[in-house]
Amino acid sequence: METFAVQPRDMTCHTLLYAAHQAFRRDLDRLGAAAAAGKGRASHVRAGWENLKEQLRLHQELEDGWLWPRVERAVAGRRAERAVLEEMRADHARMVPLIARVDAAMGAAGQGGDLPAAVRELREALERHLLHEEMSALPLAESVLTGAEWRALTAEARDRCEAGTPLFVPWVVDGIGPVERSRFLTALPRPLRELNRVMWEPRYRKRRLWSI
């Protein structure tokens, strides 16, 4: 299945990347609201958090393992541009203990600390990172990578991401507005849109992630 066989220099790639960023923000806002209401340890909230962690892991793995190394080769010798990529990796590393703190605070007895504060700290750190990426790193990547390099990247990513597509697609469109939903789904191949309509999204909804 040609899951992510897209042309990265057009709005398709832009749409996929930024839709994932918005989904990260949305889910942390949901977790923050649940924590503030004293429902942060409810089973469906925990399930939503586990899914969010996995989506973050895959996203960062794609960037650190495949995207940023290609950009680094393209900007070899240009210190300012290389510094942007080093900051991206440092941002990812800084989030590891913040995610662990949320995990601890969501422990069965809640002995890991203040969950609302832990979620708030992670949300703020993630927002800083996403804005930095959207304003600096992604425009840099789009400016220096050739179409062939983007195609090689998507070919590598496709095999790794194939198993997660049935969850990624309905996760992104969960609760978003009709315009954004249409823009995201239109960026996908038609067979994937149909699979999402008849199978993936109904199955995703049954999980009731984040419900309390």
Side-chain angles (χ1 to χ4, degrees):
M1 185 187 300
E2 295 294 309
T3 304
F4 290 119
V6 299
Q7 293 296 326
R9 283 183 174 273
D10 66 16
M11 287 302 293
T12 300
C13 182
H14 181 280
T15 298
L16 294 173
L17 288 169
Y18 284 78
H21 285 190
Q22 290 304 102
F24 295 144
R25 292 174 167 116
R26 176 204 66 211
D27 277 8
L28 275 177
D29 286 344
R30 287 171 168 175
L31 179 56
K39 305 285 188 175
R41 299 177 186 90
S43 61
H44 293 297
V45 173
R46 288 174 179 269
W49 167 241
E50 291 300 320
N51 178 63
L52 172 57
K53 287 193 298 180
E54 178 64 7
Q55 298 295 342
L56 275 169
R57 183 189 68 79
L58 291 171
H59 188 81
Q60 292 178 354
E61 183 180 89
L62 173 65
E63 292 178 340
D64 291 342
W66 305 319
L67 178 55
W68 304 146
R70 279 183 166 82
V71 179
E72 279 182 324
R73 290 193 291 270
V75 300
R78 293 157 58 179
R79 294 179 59 185
E81 286 85 347
R82 290 178 65 88
V84 170
L85 304 177
E86 291 168 3
E87 290 164 0
M88 291 296 100
R89 293 193 179 96
D91 283 350
H92 288 174
R94 279 191 286 269
M95 279 188 278
V96 171
L98 300 179
I99 290 170
R101 184 182 171 199
V102 173
D103 271 334
M106 292 183 76
Q111 297 179 358
D114 183 350
L115 180 58
V119 175
R120 184 166 56 251
E121 187 175 4
L122 175 60
R123 177 66 172 84
E124 291 170 355
L126 181 67
E127 182 63 25
R128 287 193 297 271
H129 167 65
L130 294 179
L131 287 174
H132 192 186
E133 184 175 311
E134 291 163 359
M135 295 176 66
S136 300
L138 290 177
L140 172 61
E142 291 169 354
S143 71
V144 300
L145 296 184
T146 66
E149 286 172 315
W150 279 108
R151 286 190 292 273
L153 171 68
T154 55
E156 289 182 24
R158 185 169 57 243
D159 292 340
R160 298 285 187 102
C161 298
E162 194 75 50
T165 305
L167 183 57
F168 174 77
V169 174
W171 169 71
V172 166
V173 299
D174 178 16
I176 66 176
V179 174
E180 292 79 8
R181 176 187 174 90
S182 177
R183 183 181 299 122
F184 174 76
L185 291 175
T186 301
L188 301 176
R190 184 172 180 177
L192 295 190
R193 297 199 299 270
E194 188 64 14
L195 280 170
N196 183 66
R197 184 182 68 83
V198 302
M199 184 183 304
W200 297 346
E201 201 163 350
R203 187 166 57 199
Y204 177 90
R205 288 174 178 168
K206 287 181 180 178
R207 297 182 65 190
R208 299 177 57 221
L209 299 184
W210 303 110
S211 63
I212 55 177

